[in-house]
Amino acid sequence: MKFFNSKTLEPSGVDTTDNASTEPDKEQPWQELGLKQDEYEEIKNILGRRPTSSELAMYSVMWSEHCSYKSSKIYLRQFGEKVTDEMKKYLMVGMGENAGVVDIGEGLAVTFKVESHNHPSFIEPFQGAATGVGGIVRDILSMGARPIAIMDQLRFGAPNHPDTARVVHGVVDGISFYGNCLGLPNIGGETVFDSVYQGNPLVNALSIGSMKHEDLKLAKASNPGDLVILFGARTGADGIGGVSVLASETFESTGPTKRPAVQVGDPFAEKVLIECCLELFHAGVVAGIQDLGGAGISCATSELASNGGKGMRVQLKNVLLRDESLTPEEILMSESQERMCAVVPKKRLKEFESIVNKWEVEYSVLGDVIDEDRLYINWGHEEIVNVPPRTVAHDGPVYERPVAYPAYQNELNENSSAKLPRAKNATELATQLMQLIATPNQADKSWITAQYDKYVGGNTALSMPDDSGMIRVSEESGLGVALATDANGKYAYLNPYEGARLALAEAYRNVAVTGAVPRAVTNCLNFGSPENPEVMWQFKEATAGLADACLELGIPVTGGNVSFYNQSGDVAIYPTPVVGVLGVIDDVARRIPSGWQDDGNNIYLLGTTYDELDGSAWAKDIHDHLGGQPPKLDLAKEKLLADLLHGASIQGLIESAHDLSEGGLGIAVLEASLRFNVGARIWLGDVLDRDGIDQTTALFSESQTRVLVSVGREDDVKFQALCDARGVPCLRIGVTDATSGLVEIKDIADLKLDDIRQGWSGVMSGLFG
Amino acid sequence: MPKIIVEIMPKKDLLDPQGKAVANSLHREGKKEITAVRIGKRIELHFDREITDQDLEMAKGQAANFLSNDVIEDVVAVTKED
């Protein structure tokens, strides 16, 4: 490869390291690139001179909040510190890599991660959401795994706001387009509407992949002499809006070029890239691999070198371009999709070439790994970057931002739901229940999920509307994984520490009700501006809550993502810590569905109901109230409940299990009936007596650690004995009824299943269809 | 019938996957002299009467705000055709 182009030894006009030394005082647009004065000074300190414009581009993007985690780092550390050896037992790769990897037995491992694509999805919902899916899938691929499923966690503004439909249509279309074209089943997720997300919707995308233990790959370049190869799509001017300021500096005469801030994805190119990469992995020709996402080539080269403790020499003119007018700064920052960067031993180059040629994937050798702590990037014969890679990739600034207890917090917590009027009679209770099931947040989401392919690949065991998605990993043994993600922004707003614990507990419970054993955690922490001390307090509390709760439940955080600056104007979103829990099930044939199917089975409520209506769907959607404290959580009991569910499912005692969460027991009963269109007769008298609560509380309280299960009559004695032995409160509250077409709630109402379905199923299509 | 033609193209700097796929197919057909393909859309607005300058202005407004997505597309021409 040539680092010199002998024909053009004339200076090309780009800002070189020589220029940086000879024109030390040149004005640079560091502020426009989002750097702070002291950060710019620090770059000069590291280099002993001013940075070139290419170096400035690299540092500014790699030191951005998004890439450097500079405001969150000090808090994220506790996910690695609050762990026991027991928790690490199944953890093959932990935080810091592209995605965490978990041993699931039989020589197999899975990798999973959730990432945000919030801001691009507001600007251009379709492409923003589509490239969000593409990006997380490449993260999974870069661990050596075959992507096997996706999920998404969505937060939209008020359903009736005129802009919401634009975002909903674009985002759902984008996810279904990209995922369906890739041939990946979408096995679940969440959709929540709230006006706090109006100007800042949340689009989090999760992917999961599977591999054999020995196929694990890491993003590092550790052998000097190995080649650095960029392959996949060509590099264009995607998503580099911000760097235009540098381009305009380089070409003063032409003025600032308007480069697009968004990226356009090509799922078919990604599908080919996936198959191509997997063949490269299996042939063993790749020593290290990194996907290109945010910060493009800047990130891939500096991280590969830094992770391997080595350096790299790169000829930027070797990058295959879609548009020849790109400047070096733009090439370094481009976020063009469907690209990967591989580190390949020289002697394997021929094999590498024959595989990528077979898949008709374009590639170019950018440079090689060197035994020096330096990243050199040339533009033809001119050197434009000469930096220690670690300072770009890992040793960015770390901030301990000011933290302040929010001024509104006490008032918010004192404003409990206790003063809200409770239903006075049976009719009012029934009306409220029917009202709740037809609110956008509780209503049937199949208008959305029906646009996704749930079954492609033939390994989907559970998907929406069940509590978890479940996918078979081994077709021979039936070994599989269940995955659930949750976040209740209202709870986290009332109490961020508890809110994060509650999100974890709900995801954990959602996995447990399927019969799987929870094993690992991922997260996507969506917050407002870290420069607002009140937001930073929320973040501090939420991360502590999540780390403490993981320690208590004994499952490790394997990785995740932080998304700050989620706000409209000065108003931050509710803190929304999306928590994903992965569970393992030895045979997906043993999975437990969320609804009852047989006639005459007994229905049991596990757990205790307290008067906990603060932050509930009832308070918000019936009374437009949000205040007080979220429900209490006892994780020791949560663990006990999960163990019980696992034990009972192994013995085949449970026919269905459904987690109680938003909307409480009332909504859970209706959902479990709607699942397979089988009714039930429910009586609440025993719950009222045992727990000392009123009917409103019994139906709508969101007390934690509760599950609704149905059990065949023949297994009744065994099941009750199991609950007693494990000390899990268990009360028979009804029987299933496959013939009446009714959900009869004694002393309250006889609700026709058809009426419930009508209210529940038409909401989304009525709003957006 | 009088009509206004609106022509829209994907923004120059953005990837056009459809154009790329067609270009690849043309190359397979041996048409190597074609270096790139970009695919946009043509929209016809039919009128039941003579088109006025105001109509053209209105169409330009609709082309920019309604018929195209200005985040990823450019309106390249709005013309009258008899």
Side-chain angles (χ1 to χ4, degrees):
Chain A
M1 114 213 33
K2 28 179 205 192
F3 288 105
F4 268 81
N5 187 339
S6 51
K7 276 185 228 156
T8 54
L9 281 173
E10 295 297 309
S12 62
V14 298
D15 191 23
T16 64
T17 48
D18 283 348
N19 293 145
S21 306
T22 54
E23 304 164 34
D25 299 324
K26 190 181 169 204
E27 288 264 332
Q28 294 193 289
W30 49 269
Q31 245 169 328
E32 288 88 333
L33 290 169
L35 286 168
K36 297 279 189 289
Q37 173 89 50
D38 52 340
E39 291 173 344
Y40 181 60
E41 296 304 325
E42 178 59 24
I43 295 169
K44 290 206 276 191
N45 261 340
I46 291 169
L47 299 176
R49 56 171 166 80
R50 75 158 171 90
T52 65
S53 60
S54 295
E55 289 166 342
L56 187 63
M58 288 181 82
Y59 277 107
S60 70
V61 66
M62 291 300 290
W63 285 13
S64 69
E65 188 63 59
H66 177 68
C67 291
S68 72
Y69 292 83
K70 58 189 170 190
S71 304
S72 55
K73 224 173 208 170
I74 59 166
Y75 299 107
L76 300 180
R77 280 186 194 131
Q78 53 191 322
F79 295 134
E81 289 161 4
K82 293 179 180 173
V83 283
T84 60
D85 288 342
E86 179 68 18
M87 285 161 75
K88 290 189 209 154
K89 192 169 151 197
Y90 298 107
L91 194 59
M92 293 171 63
V93 174
M95 298 211 318
E97 284 291 338
N98 283 311
V101 179
V102 181
D103 179 9
I104 61 165
E106 300 181 18
L108 293 168
V110 294
T111 175
F112 70 124
K113 191 184 179 186
V114 55
E115 233 174 36
S116 67
H117 225 218
N118 304 340
H119 299 123
S121 301
F122 181 62
I123 299 170
E124 167 43 39
F126 181 93
Q127 294 295 348
T131 53
V133 173
I136 193 67
V137 166
R138 283 194 302 282
D139 266 326
I140 294 306
L141 178 63
S142 67
M143 299 308 295
R146 171 178 284 282
I148 54 172
I150 52 176
M151 291 173 102
D152 49 84
Q153 298 74 35
L154 311 176
R155 299 290 184 281
F156 299 117
N160 50 5
H161 188 284
D163 191 47
T164 303
R166 172 189 75 95
V167 181
V168 169
H169 278 277
V171 166
V172 174
D173 281 358
I175 291 168
S176 74
F177 167 69
Y178 207 100
N180 293 357
C181 288
L182 273 188
L184 286 178
N186 190 315
I187 59 170
E190 335 153 55
T191 306
V192 175
F193 297 91
D194 195 301
S195 57
V196 295
Y197 303 106
Q198 198 65 56
N200 198 120
L202 303 185
V203 176
N204 293 179
L206 179 148
S207 181
I208 174 164
S210 68
M211 68 183 116
K212 292 188 185 139
H213 286 182
E214 60 270 24
D215 289 339
L216 178 65
K217 289 277 175 291
L218 295 175
K220 58 181 183 184
S222 28
N223 302 312
D226 283 2
L227 301 173
V228 179
I229 303 181
L230 185 65
F231 64 113
R234 288 191 167 220
T235 299
D238 306 76
I240 52 176
V243 216
S244 304
V245 58
L246 279 171
S248 70
E249 260 235 332
T250 323
F251 300 109
E252 273 156 21
S253 53
T254 56
T257 45
K258 282 256 166 58
R259 296 297 199 186
V262 296
Q263 310 114 38
V264 172
D266 179 354
F268 298 109
E270 177 121 328
K271 174 64 179 165
V272 172
L273 197 57
I274 291 172
E275 300 305 328
C276 175
C277 281
L278 290 170
E279 189 170 339
L280 289 171
F281 297 160
H282 291 149
V285 300
V286 169
I289 183 105
Q290 169 79 303
D291 64 301
L292 274 78
I297 295 175
S298 297
C299 179
T301 52
S302 62
E303 282 196 356
L304 280 167
S306 178
N307 286 342
K310 292 288 184 287
M312 206 178 268
R313 202 182 281 276
V314 168
Q315 173 53 271
L316 206 59
K317 285 232 162 151
N318 287 355
V319 174
L320 297 175
L321 299 180
R322 214 167 65 219
D323 171 358
E324 294 297 331
S325 75
L326 287 187
T327 65
E329 296 87 347
E330 290 176 323
I331 296 169
L332 285 168
M333 310 273 282
S334 162
E335 298 192 345
S336 286
Q337 301 291 295
E338 292 94 23
R339 297 181 298 164
M340 300 287 282
C341 191
V343 178
V344 178
K346 246 181 202 148
K347 60 174 196 278
R348 311 300 297 268
L349 180 62
K350 280 273 169 295
E351 289 167 82
F352 180 92
E353 285 171 331
S354 77
I355 293 171
V356 291
N357 286 338
K358 172 185 152 191
W359 291 100
E360 296 186 344
V361 168
E362 288 192 297
Y363 71 97
S364 65
V365 178
L366 297 191
D368 54 8
V369 181
I370 54 173
D371 199 4
E372 197 184 337
D373 178 28
R374 219 66 199 176
L375 172 60
Y376 301 102
I377 299 181
N378 269 43
W379 180 248
H381 65 283
E382 294 167 307
E383 184 183 80
I384 53 170
V385 173
N386 178 343
V387 297
R390 222 189 139 69
T391 62
V392 179
H394 293 108
D395 292 343
V398 175
Y399 289 144
E400 189 166 352
R401 300 245 189 220
V403 168
Y405 183 75
Y408 58 80
Q409 196 69 38
N410 283 342
E411 199 182 325
L412 179 70
N413 292 142
E414 280 155 20
N415 176 21
S416 97
S417 63
K419 60 176 182 296
L420 301 178
R422 308 263 164 133
K424 286 180 279 301
N425 51 47
T427 322
E428 204 180 334
L429 277 170
T431 311
Q432 289 184 351
L433 182 57
M434 291 297 275
Q435 212 178 318
L436 263 190
I437 193 83
T439 56
N441 283 336
Q442 305 308 323
D444 181 17
K445 299 298 189 305
S446 56
W447 180 82
I448 291 174
T449 54
Q451 299 185 43
Y452 307 147
D453 193 334
K454 295 192 274 189
Y455 301 114
V456 58
N459 284 316
T460 304
L462 291 174
S463 60
M464 287 299 278
D466 287 313
D467 293 15
S468 286
M470 186 185 287
I471 194 114
R472 182 173 57 184
V473 176
S474 166
E475 293 184 17
E476 289 77 41
S477 67
L479 176 71
V481 291
L483 201 57
T485 59
D486 287 288
N488 186 320
K490 289 180 294 180
Y491 291 171
Y493 180 59
L494 297 178
N495 186 329
Y497 182 89
E498 289 300 325
R501 293 175 79 232
L502 288 159
L504 175 69
E506 189 182 341
Y508 181 89
R509 199 181 316 128
N510 276 328
V511 164
V513 293
T514 66
V517 180
R519 184 161 287 182
V521 177
T522 187
N523 62 69
C524 188
L525 306 171
N526 304 275
F527 284 75
S529 166
E531 293 162 48
N532 175 348
E534 295 186 344
V535 169
M536 216 51 226
W537 176 81
Q538 292 175 329
F539 188 79
K540 179 184 172 205
E541 290 289 305
T543 45
L546 183 56
D548 290 347
C550 284
L551 186 60
E552 218 175 317
L553 286 176
I555 48 175
V557 172
T558 62
N561 175 242
V562 177
S563 174
F564 277 129
Y565 298 102
N566 293 293
Q567 51 193 37
S568 322
D570 287 339
V571 184
I573 59 162
Y574 292 150
T576 312
V578 168
V579 180
V581 171
L582 176 113
V584 178
I585 184 162
D586 50 11
D587 185 356
V588 297
R590 201 169 51 68
R591 69 192 179 279
I592 305 169
S594 63
W596 34 75
Q597 307 182 62
D598 299 322
D599 187 59
N601 283 352
N602 284 320
I603 300 171
Y604 288 92
L605 175 63
L606 306 180
T608 310
T609 307
Y610 304 95
D611 192 336
E612 292 178 310
L613 288 160
D614 290 357
S616 66
W618 176 83
K620 177 78 180 162
D621 292 328
I622 305 290
H623 297 286
D624 195 22
H625 176 273
L626 176 59
Q629 282 288 354
K632 297 233 173 346
L633 179 61
D634 182 337
L635 289 171
K637 287 184 180 158
E638 198 68 62
K639 218 171 160 175
L640 216 55
L641 178 64
D643 289 347
L644 169 83
L645 288 164
H646 182 242
S649 83
I650 291 274
Q651 296 181 43
L653 301 179
I654 304 179
E655 300 298 322
S656 76
H658 187 36
D659 143 66
L660 269 65
S661 58
E662 270 194 277
L665 177 64
I667 292 296
V669 166
L670 299 193
E671 287 173 343
S673 301
L674 286 165
R675 181 72 184 90
F676 298 108
N677 215 36
V678 172
R681 292 192 300 279
I682 303 287
W683 48 89
L684 299 175
D686 295 343
V687 185
L688 303 183
D689 292 346
R690 186 195 64 181
D691 295 342
I693 51 175
D694 62 20
Q695 285 180 319
T696 298
T697 306
L699 277 183
F700 302 119
S701 165
E702 296 183 5
S703 291
Q704 297 295 297
T705 323
R706 293 184 303 159
V707 168
L708 198 57
V709 296
S710 67
V711 176
R713 282 179 192 278
E714 65 282 8
D715 292 322
D716 239 21
V717 178
K718 264 198 207 163
F719 178 74
Q720 291 211 35
L722 200 64
C723 292
D724 289 347
R726 296 188 184 232
V728 173
C730 161
L731 200 59
R732 194 165 78 100
I733 62 160
V735 289
T736 62
D737 186 338
T739 55
S740 69
L742 294 173
V743 176
E744 301 176 37
I745 307 177
K746 192 164 176 265
D747 302 331
I748 295 178
D750 293 354
L751 305 168
K752 282 197 187 114
L753 264 175
D754 288 347
D755 292 347
I756 304 168
R757 184 172 300 281
Q758 205 183 350
W760 174 73
S761 65
V763 180
M764 287 296 113
S765 58
L767 285 163
F768 308 112
Chain B
M1 196 194 308
K3 53 195 173 196
I4 292 175
I5 311 295
V6 177
E7 287 171 62
I8 294 166
M9 289 297 290
K11 270 193 196 300
K12 180 177 141 291
D13 289 332
L14 285 175
L15 175 68
D16 171 17
Q18 194 185 358
K20 194 175 106 187
V22 172
N24 287 344
S25 297
L26 286 170
H27 287 174
R28 265 182 233 117
E29 296 281 307
K31 305 284 183 293
K32 301 278 186 195
E33 66 278 16
I34 297 170
T35 56
V37 175
R38 295 185 72 75
I39 300 179
K41 58 191 175 197
R42 170 191 160 104
I43 298 168
E44 297 184 350
L45 308 173
H46 294 221
F47 283 69
D48 62 358
R49 56 171 166 74
E50 212 49 32
I51 290 165
T52 65
D53 286 351
Q54 277 143 322
D55 292 334
L56 207 55
E57 281 312 304
M58 177 276 292
K60 280 180 185 164
Q62 292 298 325
N65 301 320
F66 183 70
L67 298 172
S68 71
N69 175 356
D70 67 355
V71 181
I72 54 173
E73 293 172 324
D74 286 326
V75 178
V76 293
V78 179
T79 48
K80 199 160 70 167
E81 193 177 288
D82 291 324

